[in-house]
Amino acid sequence: MDGWPTTIEELISEQKRIARLSVSNWEKPSKPFVCAAVFICYLRQTSGPGKKSDQGWGAAIALFPDGQVKTFTISERASFDYIPGLLALRDGPLLEKAVVGLNLRPELLFVNATSRDHPHRAGLALHLGYKLDIPTVGITRKPLIATGALPGKNRGDRSELRIENETVAFWLRTQENKAPLVVHPGYRLDWETAIEIVLCYTRKYRTPEPLRLARQAARLCRAEFVRSPL
């Protein structure tokens, strides 16, 4: 695996480069396909933002059309402090290792991160997709810097999130009477396809099923460590 940026200056330069790239949009396969997701969690901080060397757990899952699930988990310490907009310095290497650990190539990857909703228009969902050359959708509970009105109350209702006059993400109501999520079209994904895919995987739960399972797996690893630390 090629290395990730290790300094703030290197990362910002790479983010700006990735943001300028022109790539072809992913075409959804006509047949059922393997979808994956990756999630990282850390030991809960008593106060303040995350620090370098925090213990982290990454989990990647692949969800097959027949409902079978393949999981890969990994534990490492964070390589950088938590700084909004610079998450790739902290999480990028661990996320990549988790996905590569599945030892398969999914058609699509869900990431708990932003894409164009970012100071340099290249959040971690876009960056990771570019590194792995896998189409990505970012999912977050709230926008990073974009603003926009909340959507209607019905499942499927959406509204634009903008930075100045540029649409960079969408609020999407995935379940009635539940808080909306922010959908970030990532690497090689357009708005319509991203929203279609998210709605396809949220028929039962608010969070897309692959990402929900990856989050569950990562948090289970953390809970097991807390119960019996080395």
Side-chain angles (χ1 to χ4, degrees):
M1 293 179 286
D2 294 334
W4 286 75
T6 57
T7 68
I8 292 174
E9 294 75 18
E10 288 175 357
L11 176 58
I12 290 175
S13 176
E14 181 69 350
Q15 288 172 337
K16 290 179 177 179
R17 186 185 71 83
I18 292 172
R20 294 192 298 266
L21 293 176
S22 178
V23 296
S24 61
N25 283 338
W26 175 70
E27 294 186 9
K28 182 183 174 184
S30 58
K31 297 181 180 180
F33 56 88
V34 177
C35 184
V38 63
F39 188 89
I40 286 180
C41 64
Y42 292 94
L43 280 177
R44 292 186 174 88
Q45 298 290 321
T46 54
S47 63
K51 299 296 183 182
K52 181 179 179 180
S53 297
D54 286 345
Q55 186 68 48
W57 292 266
I61 73 99
L63 181 60
F64 292 83
D66 62 2
Q68 292 189 63
V69 175
K70 182 177 182 179
T71 305
F72 180 83
T73 59
I74 186 172
S75 177
E76 285 189 0
R77 293 192 175 273
S79 54
F80 214 85
D81 294 344
Y82 171 77
I83 304 175
L86 303 175
L87 197 59
L89 289 171
R90 180 176 174 84
D91 291 352
L94 184 56
L95 287 170
E96 183 179 12
K97 289 177 183 177
V99 177
V100 171
L102 287 171
N103 198 31
L104 56 79
R105 183 177 180 81
E107 278 285 340
L108 184 75
L109 179 68
F110 283 99
V111 188
N112 178 217
T114 72
S115 180
R116 299 290 181 180
D117 177 18
H118 184 274
H120 306 299
R121 305 299 188 272
L124 187 50
L126 177 60
H127 196 156
L128 182 65
Y130 166 75
K131 284 276 291 176
L132 294 168
D133 193 24
I134 297 173
T136 52
V137 182
I139 300 291
T140 60
R141 292 181 299 171
K142 59 183 181 180
L144 181 60
I145 58 175
T147 58
L150 291 173
K153 300 293 185 181
N154 295 321
R155 170 173 157 80
D157 286 348
R158 70 209 63 175
S159 56
E160 294 182 356
L161 283 160
R162 297 185 177 186
I163 300 175
E164 297 178 349
N165 294 322
E166 180 184 2
T167 299
V168 294
F170 282 83
W171 282 116
L172 178 65
R173 189 82 62 178
T174 58
Q175 293 286 321
E176 292 186 22
N177 301 316
K178 299 287 185 180
L181 294 171
V182 181
V183 177
H184 304 266
Y187 184 63
R188 298 187 59 206
L189 237 67
D190 58 42
W191 311 110
E192 294 84 359
T193 304
I195 288 173
E196 177 188 352
I197 291 293
V198 172
L199 288 173
C200 178
Y201 285 101
T202 52
R203 292 191 174 97
K204 186 175 181 181
Y205 297 102
R206 170 178 173 248
T207 302
E209 184 66 0
L211 188 59
R212 188 186 73 86
L213 293 173
R215 180 180 63 194
Q216 187 179 71
R219 289 177 173 174
L220 179 60
C221 290
R222 180 178 63 186
E224 291 174 349
F225 174 85
V226 170
R227 285 195 298 268
S228 56
L230 295 178

